[in-house]
Amino acid sequence: MCRVVDLQQAVLAKNDTTAHALRTELTARGTTVVNLLSSPGSGKTALLELELDLARQRKVPVAALTADLATENDAVRLARSGVPVKQVLTDGLCHLEAGMLRRHLDGWLADDTRLLFVENVGNLVCPASYDLGESLRVVLASVTEGEDKPLKYPTAFGLAHLVVVTKTDIAAAVEFDEAAFRAHVQQVNPGVEVVLTSARSGAGVGELLERALAVGDGAAVHQPVMAGRQHGHRQHHHDHDHGDGGHGHHDHDHRDGHHGHDQGDGGHDHRDGHDHEAGHGNTHPAAAQTH
């Protein structure tokens, strides 16, 4: 078991290094990356489509990359906004990684892109542990999911820079307890802002865009307490690996001991023969496949 834990820590440390380099590169050229995490069916695609359309109307250079295990449905929907959209099919992998994102941006993302929205795989487990090089991490939860989600998925909510509640137009119908939800969010991530939205009524639409633009302009980002603890833990393992005389552990991929959690069907994805740097990208509307 210790060996598996060491390998996982090494993989995460390698990802953190790649993410840091990618964030530095994109920030230097004026691109802010927004990483969107949520459960399947949270309504993040519907909200993101409206945010992208609003950005286009305001002539903000924006693009979106969406990741799914299968199908290009989300990319087709987002492409209706008229902005550059790319689909990444992860072939069953439950999350994106910084190296995957970097590869899919090469040759596709325009140099003048001010905002890049990354719609991560619908999952509140695996994606939470992987920094993609984002400057703003947003966790979304619909009113239909229940007030206890922040407590059930403390890593996802605990590392968020911003929490967005969706589908508030039906909050009363499903008896959503906003006060309880906010209290649970603060329990795992003290001080983080919670924004209420509804793609159907239009309430709160544009708030996500405004937050992302502000970050790009240098506004301070909320610093989760959990982020500091996790970074220190990974740095300890990273330094320990260097002390052993090399970087060998960092060259292992996740098939050596990482299990993917797919919340959509409640099962485990044992990817014993899959390289986590894989994934196919399709650009819409042309949907040209990249390798």
Side-chain angles (χ1 to χ4, degrees):
M1 180 60 69
C2 291
R3 178 62 173 170
V4 171
V5 171
D6 286 345
L7 288 171
Q8 290 177 347
Q9 289 295 332
V11 167
L12 289 171
K14 178 181 179 181
N15 182 84
D16 287 348
T17 299
T18 303
H20 175 74
L22 182 58
R23 180 163 38 247
T24 300
E25 294 170 14
L26 291 176
T27 299
R29 75 184 212 183
T31 301
T32 300
V33 178
V34 182
N35 185 8
L36 303 176
L37 291 79
S38 80
S39 299
S42 68
K44 69 177 179 293
T45 304
L47 179 63
L48 180 56
E49 183 181 352
L50 295 177
E51 299 285 347
L52 294 175
D53 184 61
L54 182 59
R56 180 187 57 78
Q57 293 177 37
R58 293 176 53 179
K59 302 187 184 305
V60 176
V62 63
L65 182 147
T66 181
D68 278 302
L69 278 69
T71 82
E72 299 177 17
N73 296 346
D74 287 352
V76 171
R77 290 175 60 186
L78 294 178
R80 296 185 304 202
S81 65
V83 308
V85 175
K86 188 172 188 179
Q87 176 76 59
V88 173
L89 298 180
T90 64
D91 293 329
L93 186 61
C94 62
H95 61 274
L96 283 174
E97 297 175 11
M100 294 169 62
L101 179 60
R102 177 195 286 276
R103 190 176 67 254
H104 284 293
L105 296 184
D106 287 345
W108 172 71
L109 189 67
D111 290 338
D112 66 345
T113 302
R114 187 173 176 188
L115 296 177
L116 171 64
F117 288 94
V118 179
E119 185 179 17
N120 220 314
V121 180
N123 186 333
L124 283 177
V125 182
C126 303
S129 298
Y130 289 84
D131 183 358
L132 298 183
E134 70 266 19
S135 295
L136 183 65
R137 175 178 289 212
V138 182
V139 174
L140 302 91
S142 73
V143 298
T144 61
E145 295 177 63
E147 300 82 5
D148 62 345
K149 282 299 180 290
L151 303 181
K152 286 188 173 182
Y153 302 101
T155 301
F157 285 89
L159 292 175
H161 299 128
L162 177 69
V163 175
V164 174
V165 179
T166 61
K167 304 184 183 181
T168 57
D169 56 290
I170 60 172
V174 299
E175 300 182 345
F176 176 68
D177 188 336
E178 181 186 334
F181 179 84
R182 287 180 178 274
H184 294 156
V185 169
Q186 294 304 314
Q187 187 173 333
V188 299
N189 193 346
V192 70
E193 182 184 12
V194 177
V195 174
L196 305 181
T197 68
S198 168
R200 177 170 293 181
S201 71
V205 173
E207 295 286 348
L208 180 57
L209 177 62
E210 290 296 337
R211 299 303 190 282
L213 288 172
V215 171
D217 288 338
V221 178
H222 169 69
Q223 298 299 314
V225 174
M226 184 180 292
R229 292 199 300 262
Q230 283 211 346
H231 177 75
H233 184 56
R234 290 182 193 173
Q235 187 63 44
H236 168 75
H237 282 268
H238 186 68
D239 292 343
H240 177 73
D241 288 340
H242 283 217
D244 286 341
H247 302 266
H249 284 224
H250 292 258
D251 293 328
H252 287 278
D253 63 31
H254 293 198
R255 58 176 169 258
D256 289 319
H258 182 76
H259 294 167
H261 300 268
D262 182 357
Q263 286 179 281
D265 59 15
H268 297 275
D269 180 13
H270 300 273
R271 303 198 57 76
D272 294 328
H274 185 78
D275 184 348
H276 285 207
E277 291 292 315
H280 303 289
N282 290 336
T283 303
H284 288 261
Q289 191 170 38
T290 61
H291 298 278

